[in-house]
Structure formats: structure tokens, C-alpha cells
Amino acid sequence: MRAVVQPDGEAVGTYAAELIERRLRENPRLVLGLPTGQTPLPMYAALIRRQREAGLDFSQVTTFNLDEYVGLPAQDPRSYAFYMEKHFFAHVALPRSQVFLPNGEAADPYEEALRYEQLLQSHGGLDLAIVGIGRNGHIGFNEPAERLMARTHVAVLSEETRTANARFFGSPEAVPPTAITVGMAAVGQAKEVLLLASGSAKAAAVAAACSGEVTTHLPASLLQLHPNATFLLDRQAAAQLRDNDGYE
Ligand code: F6R
């Protein structure tokens, strides 16, 4: 695991987009794992710019989003499907038949989790997983716990995560209590993982994930075991890394 530190969240986004662009030019049929949230917004904006300015070609790319709230239709502005449409898919020439998210509206979310896992496997898993990190160290909606799930599943959101996401729903109680999320294997078995973090609220989780114990109580710490994982951080998120953590 290596860490790369950039000045701010914008620069994190630009660096991430450049890395995706390099991988895409090497392999136009890239299978990408994608996160939502505040952190990746500059990355999506930079990718859209690269399509416009440098002809970056998404036509053969396949994308799998990491997660979606149970119970929210894609038309709901708080759903991750809506977020992706608004911030990325509506602006790039990526065929919708190659875009996948868990269906938050599925009649049976457990069946939907199984379907999504099989879909992911039928594409051979992820080439490049772009992930964020929660303040509690979650990845996707794999929350800190005694045990983690390897495969796509229905996750119960922690109080901390519902509080962190309350800004979009008005109150923590209004945040859906469950979500469908890929499991740790989708990330652990990706050929490459790029974790993005910006802002001081992530500093403690980032430091613990980079150089603390590998523990299910901090899911991002499992990335220490990955042979090709990069923590891409802004200065604030990197502030608690120790000097000997070997970052660039
Ligand atoms: C969202 C997701 C989450 C976020 C994490 C950080 O699809 O998978 O794990 O990446 O909660 O969110 P932000 O970037 O909003 O701080």
C-alpha cells in the first residue's frame, strides 16, 4: 500500500482522473468500481473535462457503483443513481448498458444483492476500484464490525454513517437504515484500488487504516493487504500520517 499526498481535494480529483485516463488508454474495456459522496466530485468533473478536451473515450468502459440505499428509486435526488447521473453519466459517452448500480427499489433487496454480485463476477470483477473512506473507516457500506461480508449484501448503516449522511436527508433518522453494498472481496480482488480522502475529518481514519492494525473494525485497514492499493489524500486527510509511513 502506498500513499500519495496532494495539496487539496481538487488536486486529488485531478490525480485520480489522470490515473483512470492512463488505465483507460492501456485497456479501453476497463471495469471500474465507482463511489459517490463529496470526495469524488472533483474526479468526476476532471473526467468530464478530459473527455471534452482530450477525447477520453468511455465507450467500452463498464462501471459498477459500490452501493445504493435500499428503498430509494433512481429518480430520488438522494439516491446514488441520481448522483451518478447528475455528476457523471449524463455528461460522458458511456453506454447505459455498461453502467451498473444496485437497484435500491428492488422488491427483494437480498435477491438484488445476489444478482449484483453475479453480474460483477460475470464481468470478471473490477480492474480498478475507486473507493472513498468513511470517518469510521468504512468502504462502500462495509461498516466496522466483528465480521465483514465478502460479497454484495444488504448492510445496516451505522449511527455514525447515518449522522454523516444526514445532511442530504434532514436528520439522521431520515437516512435509510439499510443499503446494498459490494463486499470486501469486490475491493480486495480488484486488480488495483485507489482510495480517495480529503479533509481533516478523515485524518484519523486514514492514519489508522494506513499504519494501524489490520482489523474488521476499520474496514479500510484491509487495504494494507492489497498488492496494488494507493491512498490518494489531500494534506488535511494525510495530516496524521507518521513520517515513516513512506508517502510520496
Ligand atoms: C459512497 C460510499 C461511501 C463514501 C464514504 C465517504 O458510495 O461508498 O463509502 O465513499 O462515506 O463519503 P464522502 O466522500 O462524502 O466523505
Side-chain angles (χ1 to χ4, degrees):
M1 208 261 324
R2 67 182 189 131
V4 173
V5 182
Q6 294 290 308
D8 54 28
E10 277 297 316
V12 164
T14 308
Y15 188 105
E18 284 170 1
L19 188 135
I20 293 171
E21 180 167 355
R22 281 199 299 280
R23 298 297 180 263
L24 201 47
R25 295 201 189 278
E26 289 158 15
N27 173 16
R29 300 175 61 85
L30 204 64
V31 180
L32 270 177
L34 295 177
T36 61
Q38 199 60 37
T39 315
L41 287 174
M43 174 187 83
Y44 291 127
L47 285 173
I48 294 164
R49 269 200 313 276
R50 292 303 290 166
Q51 176 185 263
R52 199 173 52 237
E53 293 166 5
L56 188 58
D57 179 10
F58 294 99
S59 65
Q60 297 181 68
V61 170
T62 300
T63 66
F64 282 91
N65 265 81
L66 300 178
D67 41 23
E68 178 62 283
Y69 291 112
V70 169
L72 292 193
Q75 303 79 358
D76 188 310
R78 300 162 306 181
S79 73
Y80 288 166
F82 192 96
Y83 168 108
M84 289 305 297
E85 197 57 35
K86 178 173 173 190
H87 295 294
F88 189 49
F89 297 143
H91 312 281
V92 288
L94 205 177
R96 290 300 194 279
S97 56
Q98 292 153 218
V99 163
F100 301 110
L101 285 107
N103 176 7
E105 253 197 315
D108 183 342
Y110 297 90
E111 276 294 320
E112 172 59 10
L114 197 61
R115 182 194 71 86
Y116 199 69
E117 180 66 30
Q118 285 166 352
L119 199 58
L120 180 61
Q121 307 248 351
S122 72
H123 283 78
L126 301 173
D127 291 315
L128 173 57
I130 314 287
V131 303
I133 179 172
R135 279 174 245 188
N136 63 1
H138 74 204
I139 289 193
F141 278 128
N142 294 275
E143 299 278 30
E146 277 300 306
R147 297 183 180 85
L148 295 176
M149 299 287 282
R151 303 298 168 191
T152 307
H153 59 283
V154 177
V156 177
L157 273 49
S158 67
E159 281 313 306
E160 202 171 357
T161 295
R162 292 179 84 195
T163 303
N165 293 1
R167 60 192 191 277
F168 305 108
F169 291 85
S171 71
E173 297 72 42
V175 177
T178 54
I180 298 171
T181 181
V182 300
M184 291 308 293
V187 181
Q189 293 172 2
K191 295 193 184 92
E192 181 173 11
V193 181
L194 185 65
L195 180 144
L196 314 180
S198 52
S200 53
K202 302 291 174 67
V206 161
C210 281
S211 48
E213 286 178 344
V214 174
T215 164
T216 59
H217 293 285
L218 196 82
S221 68
L222 269 78
L223 291 178
Q224 289 182 41
L225 307 176
H226 195 284
N228 190 12
T230 303
F231 276 51
L232 173 54
L233 313 167
D234 76 352
R235 277 204 197 101
Q236 289 185 336
Q240 293 182 33
L241 288 183
R242 293 189 307 255
D243 283 346
N244 62 0
D245 283 341
Y247 56 83
E248 294 172 11

